[in-house]
Amino acid sequence: MNRGNIRKYVVWLLGILLLGACKSDPEVTPEPQAAPFARGADVSWITEMEAAGRKFYNAAGVEQDGLRLLKQLGVNAIRLRVWVNPVDGWCGKDDLLVKARRAHSLGMRLLIDFHYSDTWADPGQQQLPAAWEGKDLDGLTAAVSEHTTDVLGALKAAGITPEWVQVGNETGNGMLWETGKAATNMANYAALSNAGYDAVKTVFPGTKVIVHVQNGYDNNLFRWLFDGLKANGGKWDVVGMSLYPSPYEWQQRNEQCLANISDMVNRYESEVMICEVGMSWDQAPTAKLFLEDLIKKVRTLPAGKGLGVFYWEPQCYGGWKGYTLGAFDQAGKPTAALDAFRE
């Protein structure tokens, strides 16, 4: 065989070997990338504040749109509550859509918080919407499903997909009392919560569903509730928490919260979201330390199980509705607390 033929043979043989190696090696699938950490704000009052003449200003005193200002400060996600038939319309479906469109237009991620009430739902009250009075468990599960589907369907028609949806707000003792009170009938609460879960997945299969509980430092409460849900077929994707420490106990509460978060991840293999935090507006330096530490702790969870932290109504100032745990000063400018949300 002459040199030219030898060279051709070697090239041919190398090609065969390389082709065989390519065929025998398994395909390498890239690891899925975790979503960016949510640095969020619940701004459900913002349209009502604007209608009342409240304005928002940057650190230089220049008036700005409140949502745009929050985005500039590092907020990348917005949480919005929705009530069934609120007396004045604020936080009803139409008002929700206005705020959701604004957030969406700014490229901000969205968390929808269903209270399943005409007014506040929290640890002290889980009132039936007036239109749902007199319904039995079957009637209430149907109403939860219909309401959830209606609101999310309106968002879908507007081209908006929420990344997360809460089915109930601070439901440490269930929702839609007395039928869905967890201490009285955990199975009823699980059925009502599942009605919301299933409705979310029907409209937005990829959206993560949150069950949200107050006092994120209280592991006994969380184990009791989520063990009860699990025993009754309850479904959720994310464990949601609230955390409102005083300026004097935040370090202890953060440690307790981290221990609780870690337990939720290990016990239920759940992701975790801190859905609400806050501290008095005039304690801004301490609030910043609290938030920086909490964000750092949540981000230490393995496999990106800690999804984010949301400040509750940071844009509130001047004693709006008697609320003093915002992160804006009396002149309508952001305080140092929100510096914790910068990357």
Side-chain angles (χ1 to χ4, degrees):
M1 184 180 291
N2 62 38
R3 290 181 180 177
N5 289 336
I6 290 173
R7 190 177 296 113
K8 290 178 182 178
Y9 175 76
V10 170
V11 171
W12 172 80
L13 181 60
L14 286 173
I16 293 296
L17 291 173
L18 287 171
L19 180 62
C22 291
K23 286 183 177 179
S24 61
D25 287 346
E27 290 188 11
V28 178
T29 303
E31 289 290 327
Q33 296 296 307
F37 191 79
R39 299 169 180 269
D42 188 315
V43 297
S44 302
W45 264 327
I46 195 165
T47 45
E48 188 176 359
M49 292 181 72
E50 291 166 342
R54 292 295 175 101
K55 301 182 184 300
F56 308 99
Y57 305 90
N58 65 17
V62 177
E63 182 182 338
Q64 289 190 251
D65 173 81
L67 283 181
R68 288 184 181 276
L69 177 56
L70 287 170
K71 184 175 181 180
Q72 291 169 12
L73 295 169
V75 172
N76 63 13
I78 293 297
R79 179 178 184 254
L80 300 171
R81 64 181 164 269
V82 58
W83 294 333
V84 179
N85 290 305
V87 173
D88 54 14
W90 300 115
C91 295
K93 182 176 73 172
D94 292 342
D95 182 42
L96 171 78
L97 286 169
V98 169
K99 292 174 287 196
R101 286 190 180 100
R102 288 172 59 180
H104 181 69
S105 71
L106 292 171
M108 303 175 89
R109 301 149 76 190
L110 194 61
L111 190 166
I112 302 299
D113 173 17
F114 284 91
H115 282 229
Y116 299 121
S117 182
D118 293 335
T119 185
W120 302 103
D122 54 46
Q125 55 186 351
Q126 296 281 339
Q127 299 175 18
L128 290 173
W132 300 4
E133 291 283 354
K135 293 183 182 292
D136 61 9
L137 178 62
D138 288 343
L140 289 174
T141 55
V144 166
S145 179
E146 180 182 353
H147 171 60
T148 307
T149 301
D150 177 52
V151 172
L152 296 183
L155 286 170
K156 188 172 187 177
I160 300 170
T161 300
E163 193 166 339
W164 315 274
V165 171
Q166 274 184 226
V167 289
N169 189 73
E170 294 190 324
T171 57
N173 195 12
M175 62 188 188
L176 295 165
W177 294 347
E178 295 291 319
T179 302
K181 183 172 279 190
T184 304
N185 196 319
M186 185 69 77
N188 282 2
Y189 167 50
L192 292 166
S193 184
N194 281 356
Y197 181 99
D198 292 341
V200 174
K201 296 297 186 177
T202 297
V203 182
F204 294 116
T207 293
K208 295 179 179 181
V209 179
I210 302 173
V211 170
H212 173 221
V213 179
Q214 71 276 12
N215 297 344
Y217 57 85
D218 188 348
N219 182 241
N220 289 333
L221 170 63
F222 278 73
R223 281 193 171 202
W224 172 77
L225 187 83
F226 285 97
D227 279 358
L229 279 176
K230 187 174 180 179
N232 287 278
K235 296 178 283 189
W236 69 89
D237 302 316
V238 180
V239 171
M241 302 181 177
S242 294
L243 189 67
Y244 291 94
S246 77
Y248 314 104
E249 64 175 359
W250 67 266
Q251 291 167 309
Q252 176 189 3
R253 292 306 193 202
N254 278 7
E255 292 292 341
Q256 292 170 325
C257 187
L258 177 60
N260 187 29
I261 291 170
S262 299
D263 187 53
M264 295 298 101
V265 171
N266 294 328
R267 192 175 182 86
Y268 309 111
E269 299 183 350
S270 291
E271 296 178 314
V272 177
M273 177 78 82
I274 308 299
C275 299
E276 295 184 21
V277 296
M279 188 175 284
S280 182
W281 73 271
D282 57 359
Q283 297 287 331
T286 304
K288 179 185 175 184
L289 293 175
F290 153 58
L291 291 168
E292 288 175 337
D293 183 67
L294 182 62
I295 290 170
K296 181 179 179 181
K297 283 177 164 55
V298 175
R299 297 194 75 163
T300 64
L301 295 181
K305 292 283 191 179
L307 302 183
V309 174
F310 281 74
Y311 203 108
W312 198 82
E313 301 283 8
Q315 81 287 354
C316 286
Y317 71 93
W320 175 261
K321 301 279 188 177
Y323 189 69
T324 60
L325 304 185
F328 276 53
D329 65 20
Q330 300 294 73
K333 296 189 292 185
T335 70
L338 288 177
D339 289 347
F341 281 74
R342 297 183 188 275
E343 287 285 359

